[in-house]
């Protein structure tokens, strides 16, 4: 069910394959290219449970037992300062189900951006890259990413986000 633009922890879909795809896109679209790069701040820890469960149920169609297990993973308990607490958002870090849920959490964004042409969209985990020779399309993609992340209760890591233009200096003015 994952989009072809998702490279996260998928057999045969390495960073080298993603870079090759981007290289072909840039070669096939000579001239300046706008690049939008986004990373999500503390992604797994900030995912909202309602969306996690909605996505999981929509795409996994779990039975009652698996749905209950997923609810337990979402609402895990932990001890802090000798108090037993229940988390209100996020999934346990390093848990294999977190990786699956992260991919599902962004699936609708992936599907929206992979349709944009001429463009190249790719995602690995919480890192996304959108490239287009059309600066207006790139600006639209940046807005769409920001709006989607805000709706989902997560935000882009400003320190790791970049909006750049590639091309000969004479073409970038």
């Amino acid at each position: 069910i994952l989009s072809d633009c998702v490279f996260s922890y998928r057999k045969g879909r390495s960073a080298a394959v993603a870079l090759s795809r981007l290289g072909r896109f840039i070669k096939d679209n000579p001239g300046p290219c706008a690049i939008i790069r986004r990373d999500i701040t503390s992604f797994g820890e900030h995912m909202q449970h309602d969306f996690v469960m909605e996505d999981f149920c929509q795409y996994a169609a779990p039975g009652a037992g698996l749905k209950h297990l997923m609810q337990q993973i979402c609402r895990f308990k932990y001890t802090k300062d000798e108090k037993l607490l229940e988390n209100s958002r996020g999934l346990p870090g390093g848990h294999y189900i977190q990786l699956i849920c992260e991919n599902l959490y962004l699936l609708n964004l992936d599907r929206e951006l992979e349709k944009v042409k001429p463009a190249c969209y790719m995602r690995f985990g919480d890192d996304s890259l959108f490239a287009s020779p059309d600066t207006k399309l790139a600006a639209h993609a940046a807005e769409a990413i920001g709006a989607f992340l805000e709706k989902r209760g997560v935000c882009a890591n400003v320190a790791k986000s970049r909006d750049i233009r590639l091309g000969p200096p004479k073409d970038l003015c």
Side-chain angles (χ1 to χ4, degrees):
I1 65 165
L2 295 179
S3 165
D4 199 36
C5 64
V6 177
F7 291 82
S8 307
Y9 314 105
R10 297 173 73 189
K11 186 176 182 175
R13 305 198 47 83
S14 68
V17 173
L19 289 173
S20 177
R21 180 185 287 186
L22 179 61
R24 278 192 313 275
F25 175 79
I26 291 172
K27 181 180 177 186
D28 293 344
N29 292 277
C33 186
I35 309 275
I36 306 298
R37 182 193 182 286
R38 294 294 183 268
D39 173 85
I40 301 174
T41 301
S42 304
F43 185 31
E45 295 89 352
H46 288 103
M47 292 174 16
Q48 292 186 10
H49 293 153
D50 291 344
F51 290 120
V52 170
M53 288 302 299
E54 178 183 308
D55 296 338
F56 186 73
C57 291
Q58 178 181 353
Y59 296 109
L66 187 55
K67 186 175 179 180
H68 177 73
L69 175 63
M70 189 63 189
Q71 289 169 334
Q72 296 307 306
I73 291 170
C74 281
R75 303 277 185 208
F76 66 91
K77 294 178 173 58
Y78 62 99
T79 304
K80 183 176 180 180
D81 299 326
E82 298 183 20
K83 294 180 183 173
L84 184 63
L85 303 172
E86 184 176 294
N87 74 328
S88 58
R89 59 189 323 178
L91 295 174
H95 195 281
Y96 67 89
I97 198 77
Q98 179 186 11
L99 303 175
I100 294 167
C101 291
E102 286 177 357
N103 277 337
L104 295 178
Y105 206 78
L106 300 176
L107 185 58
N108 289 331
L109 176 65
D110 298 334
R111 289 182 173 162
E112 176 184 344
L113 293 178
E114 74 181 345
K115 293 177 188 174
V116 178
K117 302 293 180 217
C120 177
Y121 171 71
M122 297 179 288
R123 182 172 61 79
F124 189 94
D126 65 346
D127 295 299
S128 61
L129 184 134
F130 181 92
S132 178
D134 186 332
T135 56
K136 290 180 183 175
L137 284 179
H140 170 73
E143 290 174 16
I145 292 169
F148 186 88
L149 297 181
E150 183 178 337
K151 176 184 167 196
R152 287 281 175 132
V154 294
C155 61
N157 183 337
V158 177
K160 292 183 176 181
S161 295
R162 300 281 183 271
D163 295 356
I164 60 173
R165 292 215 6 156
L166 297 177
K170 67 179 179 63
D171 293 339
L172 296 177
C173 297

